Amino acid sequence: MSTVNVVHTKDRLSGIVQSVGRRPNDVSRRWWESALVFAFFTAAYTWFGYWVVVDMHVVGFETLDRLNRALMVWHNDPAKLSAIGFDYPPLATLLIAPLAIFRGLVTSLAVVPLASAVFAAFTMVALNTMMRRALVAGPLRYAVLLALGANPMVLLYATTGTRHFVWMALVVAALGALFAWYITADVRFVMLAGIAFSIAALAGYTSLVFFLLSAVMIGAILARLGADGTEVEGTVVGFASPTVYVIALWTVFNLILLLNPFAWITRSSDAAASGGLETFSAVELLRATGELVLYGAPIAIIVLPALIFAGFARGNPFALWLGMMLGASILLPSAAVVLRLTDSPMLMRNSLPILLISVIGAIWLARSAEEGSTLVAALVVVALVISIPWTLQAMKTYRYQNLEAPFAAAITTGESQEGAQTLNREKVGIVSEQAMAKYIANNVSRDNSILTDNAQTYAVMMLTGHPEYFFDRIDHSDGPWKVAARDPGKYDIDYLLMSASDNGDLLTKLYPDAAAGSDAQLQVVYRTPRYVLASVPAGFEPGGVTTGQLGAS
């Protein structure tokens, strides 16, 4: 006869090292403080960003592309959620779509700084909450936030509508939740971190690296604290499930719609042109990595070894994990180059994650210092303040960059950067786009009457505020659009909007004489330095156009 073994609750829970079903000791909630921090930084970045974008004309075209897609979600004819596309992580566009509900706010460029300011402000809220849990005094917390918020790299990417703070804000929030979990042992924070990472994964694919490191960290720390296998497995699975689910779902969508399950990696805007990526030697990559840290996040030079020392010498596993996170953020840009997952190698913006994770590491060092936390926090403030002029000067000369040099020039001179050149000889400014958009808004009123390659003319489309006027590739997909492009007269097209130079615009390739203003049939009705608007006459005959010029449908 078998004997039944009764397992008492206290024995069953003996391997549980986390708080389950009750809220453990934690800092008191101060929703009003978080609301004030959020409101302050949102207002400050939006106000400063309006000056940078509207007055100084420092704005990235990637931002205008995403806002044009957001505008098409609401105002195309018919409205198209598919306008979000696969070029960017989907939430990088979807999360800013509410800003495009009102056309006037988009065409005035007022929402451009807001598209990044709200996420940068959310980042500051998460950092402030971490500092509260680290028992950093209020005046020092605010000093850290102001010093970090005034960093020129943070200013540039928080005020010009770029997508980088979208995913970084979510990663910082996830790390903040794990920060709280380690302090309180409340397993609910692990689940919150998992949800934050799942959203971050579809806002910026780089966040997946930090997600994987976090999953390993959670299991390793629980095992070190004596948790049994069931608790370790259950916690890690609970943390990872939301992110694994959304990535699996996005992979299925890519398979169904693009017949390539991994197109979200290979066709993303960060990797699509990597075939032309310049070759880096190991020495060049090492040097470029060092320069990223030195000029963009010099505080990491101190924080990284301090975290590693605290991790090994003082038995501080969370410090060691943060050191691994910081090390990964430093190595990620060069790894992307080696794996050819980027068409923008070693850009200065890659120092932003390094800077933010360095600050998180410094906050943990302040907490670990106990009685010395005030001194550590004060040193962080000093280091961040000193780095401001250092980074600003580096932005003027750093080799791999986007709008850093024009932004630095705008700040130091107060002069508009319209017509200036970036260090890679790209023209800065949007006067051409504004002029063409104004002409179209004043002279066109019929839907689908302007044939255009939206991949090149999205800025003009956005500034008109009327995506429904355009017959574009998003509206009809590439196949039908190419058919119409070969014979626009059959599709009741009134105008062709093309790039003035051959920069990949499919219509410019198809009608080079019209773009140059020498086509006898397609007369130019308006021209700017960057764009040409040509009329399509009744009975237009596209003589000489061949299928090969656009590729097979």
Side-chain angles (χ1 to χ4, degrees):
M1 186 173 179
S2 62
T3 303
V4 177
N5 292 322
V6 178
V7 180
H8 294 284
T9 300
K10 66 177 183 179
D11 297 324
R12 180 175 60 81
L13 297 178
S14 61
I16 301 293
V17 299
Q18 302 174 96
S19 296
V20 180
R22 65 180 179 84
R23 184 175 179 83
N25 292 329
D26 193 9
V27 292
S28 58
R29 294 180 178 179
R30 292 186 183 176
W31 65 267
W32 54 268
E33 182 176 336
S34 296
L36 287 175
V37 170
F38 181 81
F40 172 80
F41 280 101
T42 299
Y45 285 144
T46 302
W47 169 77
F48 184 75
Y50 189 85
W51 175 77
V52 170
V53 172
V54 178
D55 295 338
M56 297 295 102
H57 286 200
V58 178
V59 59
F61 279 82
E62 178 190 274
T63 300
L64 304 184
D65 187 10
R66 290 187 301 118
L67 279 172
N68 183 54
R69 293 166 185 259
L71 197 66
M72 297 175 88
V73 169
W74 302 103
H75 300 293
N76 208 2
D77 184 23
K80 282 186 175 291
L81 187 61
S82 61
I84 292 171
F86 294 87
D87 295 349
Y88 307 106
L91 293 186
T93 300
L94 189 59
L95 289 176
I96 66 169
L99 300 178
I101 293 176
F102 301 104
R103 301 177 196 256
L105 293 177
V106 176
T107 57
S108 69
L109 299 176
V111 300
V112 171
L114 193 60
S116 54
V118 291
F119 297 101
F122 183 71
T123 302
M124 296 301 175
V125 171
L127 291 173
N128 182 63
T129 302
M130 276 186 262
M131 285 189 282
R132 289 188 59 233
R133 287 199 170 93
L135 306 180
V136 177
L140 281 174
R141 293 202 307 272
Y142 308 142
V144 169
L145 295 179
L146 289 173
L148 176 63
N151 181 284
M153 285 295 296
V154 174
L155 273 177
L156 171 59
Y157 288 96
T159 61
T160 53
T162 61
R163 61 189 166 104
H164 309 291
F165 260 109
V166 178
W167 69 267
M168 283 191 292
L170 293 162
V171 168
V172 170
L175 299 186
L178 294 177
F179 192 105
W181 166 71
Y182 189 81
I183 292 174
T184 66
D186 188 346
V187 71
R188 288 175 293 184
F189 285 118
V190 174
M191 304 309 149
L192 288 174
I195 294 171
F197 268 124
S198 70
I199 303 172
L202 294 185
Y205 301 136
T206 304
S207 61
L208 290 172
V209 175
F210 302 110
F211 160 73
L212 291 173
L213 287 174
S214 298
V216 173
M217 179 276 297
I218 292 169
I221 287 180
L222 285 176
R224 186 179 184 276
L225 294 176
D228 60 23
T230 301
E231 182 181 5
V232 173
E233 180 182 351
T235 304
V236 173
V237 169
F239 166 77
S241 293
T243 303
V244 172
Y245 174 78
V246 298
I247 290 299
L249 192 62
W250 189 231
T251 300
V252 170
F253 282 164
N254 278 257
L255 175 62
I256 295 172
L257 299 176
L258 302 178
L259 303 180
N260 180 354
F262 301 108
W264 58 276
I265 297 177
T266 59
R267 296 189 187 181
S268 72
S269 60
D270 292 333
S274 59
L277 186 64
E278 65 179 283
T279 302
F280 285 79
S281 68
V283 173
E284 288 171 333
L285 276 179
L286 184 62
R287 177 182 176 181
T289 300
E291 289 176 341
L292 268 182
V293 176
L294 179 62
Y295 297 129
I299 189 176
I301 298 173
I302 300 172
V303 172
L304 179 57
L307 288 171
I308 294 174
F309 175 80
F312 283 111
R314 302 184 62 182
N316 190 331
F318 198 76
L320 187 60
W321 170 69
L322 285 174
M324 292 174 58
M325 282 280 185
L326 182 52
S329 67
I330 292 172
L331 296 177
L332 270 176
S334 56
V337 172
V338 171
L339 297 174
R340 307 190 77 79
L341 294 177
T342 179
D343 65 344
S344 307
M346 310 309 291
L347 287 180
M348 198 172 185
R349 72 186 183 204
N350 291 319
S351 64
L352 266 179
I354 303 174
L355 177 61
L356 293 176
I357 295 177
S358 295
V359 171
I360 295 173
I363 293 171
W364 181 253
L365 290 173
R367 186 184 190 280
S368 301
E370 297 177 352
E371 292 83 0
S373 62
T374 299
L375 176 60
V376 173
L379 290 175
V380 172
V381 174
V382 172
L384 289 173
V385 170
I386 292 175
S387 69
I388 291 175
W390 173 261
T391 298
L392 183 63
Q393 183 60 35
M395 290 170 73
K396 298 178 180 179
T397 58
Y398 186 80
R399 178 182 177 187
Y400 303 106
Q401 59 168 267
N402 185 22
L403 290 171
E404 281 79 2
F407 177 79
I411 288 180
T412 55
T413 66
E415 298 177 357
S416 172
Q417 297 303 296
E418 180 67 44
Q421 282 190 337
T422 64
L423 294 188
N424 59 355
R425 298 184 179 180
E426 295 289 336
K427 285 285 187 180
V428 179
I430 52 173
V431 166
S432 283
E433 287 74 16
Q434 290 175 319
M436 181 61 76
K438 183 178 180 180
Y439 180 88
I440 290 172
N442 290 337
N443 294 277
V444 178
S445 59
R446 192 169 64 82
D447 291 357
N448 292 309
S449 61
I450 305 174
L451 184 70
T452 193
D453 179 359
N454 58 277
Q456 303 300 324
T457 60
Y458 50 81
V460 175
M461 294 174 63
M462 187 211 81
L463 289 167
T464 65
H466 291 279
E468 70 274 16
Y469 289 172
F470 300 87
F471 188 114
D472 55 74
R473 294 164 65 182
I474 290 178
D475 282 340
H476 303 279
S477 79
D478 279 0
W481 182 88
K482 289 177 180 178
V483 172
R486 296 188 191 99
D487 194 357
K490 289 184 178 180
Y491 289 83
D492 202 20
I493 300 296
D494 294 331
Y495 302 97
L496 303 180
L497 175 63
M498 301 173 284
S499 300
S501 59
D502 186 0
N503 60 351
D505 190 311
L506 296 184
L507 280 183
T508 302
K509 292 179 180 295
L510 195 60
Y511 302 104
D513 292 340
S518 58
D519 191 297
Q521 294 189 84
L522 301 172
Q523 296 294 318
V524 174
V525 296
Y526 193 74
R527 174 186 289 275
T528 70
R530 289 178 179 165
Y531 303 96
V532 172
L533 185 68
S535 64
V536 179
F540 171 69
E541 293 292 339
V545 175
T546 63
T547 300
Q549 289 174 278
L550 278 180
S553 299

